[in-house]
């Protein structure tokens, strides 16, 4: 008998999931992949060796469940972040996506509302709806910035239980002032998540929202090892917040959610933080080179404090995306009219992107 596979619509799936689209950054094995804001530099050799040793050690006890409280790792994160943070203020999971999911499982859910300011990280609405919460897309200024007053007003109006401030923002690269964080915090009784996934690429002298944590028990600062630490494949994200808020996350996480191998790898990598972060300056230089070169090619880059650049002036984003693809360069069409986003690569990758773009006649 011929087997006909069912479609989603045939299944007794939750009504609130019907019609949703999964996260869908295209995956393609092209020579130059500048599409998902990875760090395109591999982990330095000497660190890789040390990580391997730690993993080998952990493997000897792999018959046992790992430390459910990942104590050594939380201590390593507290050391790395500084600001007087202690391990009881730290949490971690398999990527900051899972960190955000834990937050939403504890503080969003059915009958509750999560707010973010579009365009922003595309996983926020998916994660929020995954818990049964409603997603509200707030607005930004035309240049993608947020003002304290504008953000606070929208927060109060939405009556949101969870507010996302992506700082700096993906996919636009836009910085978010600490005055915006303070104003949004005052405007809600809910949880305020400052997603600092790209914080290490911001100017060094800029203050992190970590400096606002004291006396703000509803404030969360999330980070990831995927970007500056070149650790995307290991899946390690973390957050800092009040110890009580972290206790709430213990209610929703799966027991032993961080494998012994992940804990060993991440703790070892954090022991080499300065070496792991060695490439950040070089990536920032390539980002600035992209921003400085694009106007000469007829495009308008937006200010970026991240490892990527969103640029406008693209006549037909789908056509330019495809023309670059055909030249072996994968970037990202984030669905914003007239714009495309590119991750800063190594010097050679960045040159390949700029040369390929220069060879396409598509600036508006
Ligand atoms: N936050 C932002 C703003 C991101 O851009 C990303 C990844 N692109 C993440 C969180 C999730 O990263 P990860 O799960 O790899 O830590």
């Amino acid at each position: 008998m011929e087997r006909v596979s069912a479609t989603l619509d045939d299944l007794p799936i939750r009504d609130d999931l019907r019609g949703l689209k999964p996260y869908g950054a295209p995956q393609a094995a092209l020579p130059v992949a500048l599409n998902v804001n990875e760090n395109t530099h591999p982990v330095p050799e000497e660190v890789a060796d040390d990580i391997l040793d730690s993993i080998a050690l952990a493997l000897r006890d792999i018959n046992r469940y790992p430390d459910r409280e990942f104590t050594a790792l939380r201590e390593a994160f507290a050391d790395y972040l500084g600001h007087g943070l202690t391990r009881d203020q730290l949490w971690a999971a398999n990527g900051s996506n899972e960190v955000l999911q834990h937050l939403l499982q504890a503080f969003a859910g059915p009958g509750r509302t999560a707010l973010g300011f579009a365009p922003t990280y595309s996983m926020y609405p998916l994660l929020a709806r995954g818990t049964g919460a409603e997603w509200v897309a707030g607005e930004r200024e035309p240049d993608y910035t947020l003002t304290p007053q504008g953000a606070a007003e929208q927060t109060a109006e939405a009556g949101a239980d969870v507010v996302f401030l992506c700082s700096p923002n993906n996919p636009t690269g836009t910085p978010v002032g600490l005055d915006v964080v303070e104003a949004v915090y005052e405007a809600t009784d809910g949880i305020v998540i400052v997603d600092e996934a790209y914080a290490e690429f911001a100017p060094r002298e800029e203050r992190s929202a970590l400096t606002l944590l004291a006396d703000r028990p509803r404030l969360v600062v999330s980070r990831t090892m995927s970007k500056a630490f070149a650790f995307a494949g290991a899946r390690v994200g973390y957050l800092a917040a009040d110890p009580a808020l972290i206790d709430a996350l213990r209610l929703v996480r799966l027991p032993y959610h961080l494998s012994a191998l992940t804990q060993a790898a991440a703790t070892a990598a954090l022991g080499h933080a300065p070496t792991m972060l060695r490439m950040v300056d070089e990536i920032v230089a390539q980002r600035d080179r992209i921003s400085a070169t694009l106007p000469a090619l007829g495009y308008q880059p937006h200010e970026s404090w991240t490892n990527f650049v969103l640029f406008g002036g693209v006549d037909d984003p789908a056509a330019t995306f495809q023309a670059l693809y055909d030249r072996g360069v994968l970037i990202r069409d984030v669905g914003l009219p007239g714009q495309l986003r590119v991750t800063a690569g190594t010097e050679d990758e960045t040159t390949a992107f700029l040369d390929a773009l220069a060879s396409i006649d598509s600036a508006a």
Side-chain angles (χ1 to χ4, degrees):
M1 199 180 83
E2 199 180 316
R3 215 190 127 138
V4 182
S5 123
T7 70
L8 264 190
D9 284 338
D10 302 326
L11 296 172
I13 189 173
R14 274 164 41 190
D15 286 339
D16 60 334
L17 292 183
R18 280 187 197 281
L20 294 188
K21 294 259 179 307
Y23 178 81
Q27 288 196 303
L30 291 198
V32 180
L34 302 174
N35 62 326
V36 284
N37 301 338
E38 294 151 335
N39 188 325
T40 58
H41 301 254
V43 171
E45 191 73 27
E46 66 268 32
V47 184
D49 286 344
D50 198 35
I51 294 173
L52 265 181
D53 287 348
S54 294
I55 292 178
L57 214 59
L59 207 51
R60 300 203 178 277
D61 288 327
I62 212 76
N63 55 313
R64 301 284 180 189
Y65 283 113
D67 174 8
R68 208 172 44 217
E69 287 296 312
F70 45 101
T71 315
L73 181 57
R74 283 190 295 133
E75 257 159 27
F77 279 129
D79 282 352
Y80 167 65
L81 289 180
H83 298 288
L85 291 166
T86 53
R87 71 175 190 224
D88 58 340
Q89 294 169 284
L90 268 297
W91 186 250
N94 297 284
S96 52
N97 280 330
E98 191 181 58
V99 166
L100 300 176
Q101 186 176 50
H102 286 167
L103 287 163
L104 288 161
Q105 284 177 318
F107 296 102
R112 294 195 164 204
T113 302
L115 168 72
F117 299 91
T120 193
Y121 181 40
S122 62
M123 279 305 296
Y124 299 154
L126 276 175
L127 289 166
R129 289 181 180 133
T131 72
E134 187 194 341
W135 171 254
V136 175
E139 290 176 0
R140 293 171 177 269
E141 304 298 312
D143 64 355
Y144 299 131
T145 56
L146 290 173
T147 65
Q149 198 194 346
E153 276 173 14
Q154 294 184 68
T155 300
E157 196 180 325
D161 301 282
V162 176
V163 184
F164 286 98
L165 287 169
C166 191
S167 172
N169 187 49
N170 181 13
T172 61
T174 319
V176 179
L178 292 188
D179 52 352
V180 173
V181 179
E182 289 171 316
V184 165
Y185 189 87
E186 292 308 319
T188 177
D189 294 331
I191 298 296
V192 177
I193 303 171
V194 183
D195 181 348
E196 292 192 348
Y198 299 95
E200 286 92 344
F201 301 100
R204 289 277 153 79
E205 66 280 8
E206 294 297 333
R207 274 169 57 206
S208 152
L210 291 167
T211 60
L212 299 180
L213 282 175
D215 300 324
R216 288 189 180 83
R218 295 177 289 106
L219 183 63
V220 182
V221 180
S222 88
R223 294 273 186 113
T224 181
M225 291 184 76
S226 295
K227 313 296 176 179
F229 271 91
F231 229 47
R235 311 303 300 124
V236 188
Y238 54 107
L239 65 75
D242 190 272
L245 190 144
I246 283 162
D247 274 342
L249 307 180
R250 290 190 169 90
L251 297 173
V252 296
R253 62 97 177 267
L254 297 174
Y256 315 108
H257 67 286
L258 274 180
S259 85
L261 303 183
T262 304
Q263 293 185 41
T267 308
L270 283 164
H272 296 272
T275 315
M276 291 290 281
L277 294 169
R278 203 164 57 194
M279 290 303 169
V280 166
D281 289 345
E282 195 177 307
I283 294 165
V284 165
Q286 296 308 318
R287 174 198 75 198
D288 291 344
R289 178 178 160 225
I290 294 172
S291 301
T293 310
L294 284 173
L297 302 179
Y299 301 97
Q300 293 97 47
H302 293 275
E303 181 186 14
S304 172
W305 282 15
T306 61
N307 66 341
F308 57 84
V309 178
L310 180 76
F311 57 97
V314 189
D315 225 359
D316 181 348
T320 301
F321 171 88
Q322 190 57 44
L324 288 168
Y325 190 104
D326 295 342
R327 288 161 175 77
V329 180
L330 185 61
I331 67 164
R332 188 86 179 270
D333 181 353
V334 289
L336 294 174
Q339 328 233 24
L340 286 169
R341 191 193 72 187
V342 63
T343 308
T346 60
E347 186 173 359
D348 285 352
E349 289 168 330
T350 304
T351 300
F353 159 71
L354 290 170
D355 286 354
L357 191 65
S359 74
I360 303 165
D361 182 24
S362 70

